[in-house]
Amino acid sequence: CNLAAAQASEFGISRGSRVLQFASFSFDASVSEVFTALVSGATLCVAPDPRALSSELLVNVLREREINVVTLPPAVLAVTTPERLPALRTVVSAGESCSPETVARWGRHCRVINAYGPTENTVCATMHECVEADVDVVPIGRPMRNTTLYLLDALLQPAPVNVTGEAYVGGAGVARGYLNRPGLTAERFIPDPFSAEPGARLYRTGDAARYRGDGEVEFVGRLDGQVKVRGYRVELGEVEAALASHAAVRDVVVMARDDEQGGPKQLVAYVVADQSRPAPAAAELREHAREQLPDYMTPSAFVLLEEMPLTPNGKVDRRALPAPYQVEAEQGAAADPRTPFEEMLCGIAADVLNLERVRVTDNFFEVGGHSLLATQFILRLREVLRVELSVRDLFEKPTIAQAAAEVEARLRAGEGEGVPPIERASRGGGLPASFAQQRLWFLDQLEGGSHAAYNMPGAFRLRGALDLEALGRTLSEVVRRHEVLRTSFATAADGTPVQVIHAPQ
């Protein structure tokens, strides 16, 4: 009842309005469409099966049935043209983040409302009527009537303005819990610490959001949308926002996917180009991303699609997005090795990157490579061809064809025969300290031996019976395997710092 009354008022639905039921009955948005229309005396028009509803057919349905109010996911709004819909008064975007470009295009013809809410709070929690100022990020607005929204940190303390917190919703729409899932219910539905009402609860959405200075709320992304790639934490939503700011990009989805050929996890950007502009090349998109993001957040692969695959509910079907190498195979893009050196380097690169194949035109760093893998690639070249390349050489000549030409030139100049193999150094006596270790040694000498300055303490609570013998064996094995845990630093006779690696106890 609260949902229907609030949305009918906000969307301008009353007797005489015509509302499209776009969502299937299996999707919670259908509750909003059905009851908000019927309790207001409006006409509810049922759309054809969404799975067979193309953008052209949707426009025809909206026009022929003279729809006044419609709720559509952003992915559907992005491919639908509003120019031929004179009867349409209000468009509601819901289900996923909506881009400013989509809002601007629809806002020239009708009201655009951005709505947000989890199923557990009866479909909708906040609404924002979009304005011309929404050029960077489209807010999700403020809580609707009889609804509360808190952005809290890990200690359930309110997050300050412009600081990201987890969204907790409360009020009349909060569900009782999950059917026959008491453990999950207790985890996600918590007592409301800000309410004086007995039994009041908040639902943990798992969404990250922040307050703007004007009190509007911006959706940042899913907390589980934070992924780890090559040891770095990456917010997928932040990468998507950076790419979406490119003038030729209409829609974009970024995923961290494990390569199906067994390769390392990499960021893949799926891009739908704006049809009114030339389609951007992968190099152009990569450069655009690098202007706004650090290297580790720049996608390794870019896949241009005509349309995003959608679920029956109109959301992006991420499981249907193709792997980058599948797209290349379908497009028939091939650049076969032309020389024995190119063939050998393609094989080494494919092995290091765990890819099915690498083409001579591929940029090592754009098909999943990074500095650590570049070092492995160079070491393999040294083992096989006895030629010495540096990581800088590979950065300057990153394609396999360029690297192969450089290797061939050096071998013809007789360089390869003099490169000695890398042998393990003796662990007896002192070993030279690295530059970073020398800096720390110098600071230690300067400050008078503050041995705790660079310690990183941590405490862990262990519950249950403790097997001291097993714990001791475990710690001993960790120390045995990692020399750094058995390393101390001393000053050599000439006054320079050296590493001393002690034998395992």
Side-chain angles (χ1 to χ4, degrees), residues 92-420:
V92 182
S93 171
E96 294 179 304
S97 296
C98 190
S99 70
E101 292 75 19
T102 299
V103 167
R105 187 161 57 88
W106 282 86
R108 290 191 290 268
H109 302 275
C110 58
R111 292 175 67 215
V112 179
I113 294 175
N114 193 32
Y116 160 83
T119 304
E120 292 84 350
N121 192 63
T122 316
V123 187
C124 187
T126 70
M127 291 179 282
H128 168 76
E129 181 163 356
C130 301
V131 295
E132 292 183 3
D134 299 329
V135 293
D136 296 322
V137 178
V138 182
I140 58 175
R142 302 171 184 264
M144 68 180 191
R145 64 178 65 172
N146 300 319
T147 300
T148 58
L149 174 70
Y150 299 100
L151 306 184
L152 308 178
D153 62 18
L155 299 177
L156 298 183
Q157 296 299 309
V161 172
N162 292 324
V163 175
T164 300
E166 182 175 1
Y168 289 72
V169 293
V174 176
R176 297 179 180 178
Y178 298 107
L179 183 63
N180 299 327
R181 300 288 299 276
L184 185 59
T185 296
E187 175 187 346
R188 307 303 296 185
F189 295 85
I190 67 170
D192 186 346
F194 309 105
S195 175
E197 180 183 345
R201 293 180 303 161
L202 295 176
Y203 171 69
R204 294 185 58 185
T205 65
D207 292 328
R210 57 175 169 252
Y211 281 111
R212 301 195 315 189
D214 60 2
E216 296 281 302
V217 176
E218 289 182 355
F219 176 80
V220 176
R222 289 288 301 170
L223 291 176
D224 54 15
Q226 185 185 78
V227 298
K228 206 167 189 179
V229 179
R230 305 201 313 265
Y232 294 100
R233 294 192 181 278
V234 177
E235 292 283 356
L236 297 180
E238 189 174 351
V239 183
E240 291 174 347
L243 290 173
S245 65
H246 190 288
V249 172
R250 190 187 72 194
D251 198 7
V252 59
V253 171
V254 176
M255 292 179 60
R257 58 186 305 156
D258 295 308
D259 193 276
E260 295 181 12
Q261 304 302 312
K265 180 175 289 187
Q266 60 176 333
L267 290 179
V268 181
Y270 298 89
V271 175
V272 176
D274 186 338
Q275 296 180 354
S276 64
R277 299 173 181 267
E284 179 183 349
L285 293 172
R286 184 174 288 106
E287 184 61 29
H288 180 76
R290 284 175 174 164
E291 291 175 356
Q292 305 176 67
L293 301 169
D295 285 342
Y296 67 87
M297 293 180 68
T298 301
S300 301
F302 292 82
V303 179
L304 288 176
L305 302 175
E306 292 185 3
E307 301 289 349
M308 289 291 180
L310 303 179
T311 66
N313 296 329
K315 295 186 178 182
V316 176
D317 188 353
R318 294 174 181 266
R319 290 180 295 183
L321 292 169
Y325 75 88
Q326 291 175 336
V327 175
E328 293 172 357
E330 292 170 2
Q331 294 173 345
D336 295 329
R338 297 157 296 186
T339 68
F341 289 102
E342 289 182 349
E343 184 174 2
M344 185 174 296
L345 265 67
C346 282
I348 294 174
D351 189 37
V352 169
L353 297 170
N354 282 320
L355 296 176
E356 186 177 22
R357 69 185 182 95
V358 174
R359 305 166 300 179
V360 296
T361 55
D362 283 337
N363 183 310
F364 182 87
F365 300 100
E366 295 178 0
V367 292
H370 48 78
S371 56
L372 295 179
L373 291 177
T375 302
Q376 293 184 29
F377 178 71
I378 289 168
L379 291 176
R380 291 286 299 276
L381 288 180
R382 180 186 291 163
E383 292 174 1
V384 175
L385 298 174
R386 302 291 295 275
V387 66
E388 184 78 18
L389 288 183
S390 67
V391 174
R392 179 175 180 176
D393 291 331
L394 192 58
F395 271 108
E396 293 177 348
K397 299 180 179 180
T399 69
I400 301 301
Q402 291 172 327
E406 181 67 18
V407 168
E408 185 175 3
R410 295 192 181 192
L411 287 175
R412 292 186 186 282
E415 178 181 317
E417 298 177 359
V419 179

Side-chain angles (χ1 to χ4, degrees), residues 57-81:
L57 180 55
L58 176 59
V59 169
N60 291 337
V61 170
L62 292 170
R63 187 181 68 252
E64 293 170 2
R65 302 191 185 183
E66 298 182 330
I67 299 299
N68 307 132
V69 179
V70 63
T71 300
L72 297 173
V76 176
L77 287 173
V79 298
T80 307
T81 54

Side-chain angles (χ1 to χ4, degrees), residues 434-444 454:
S434 69
F435 291 125
Q437 291 168 341
Q438 290 177 30
R439 288 198 302 270
L440 294 179
W441 173 85
F442 176 79
L443 292 174
D444 182 71
Y454 299 98

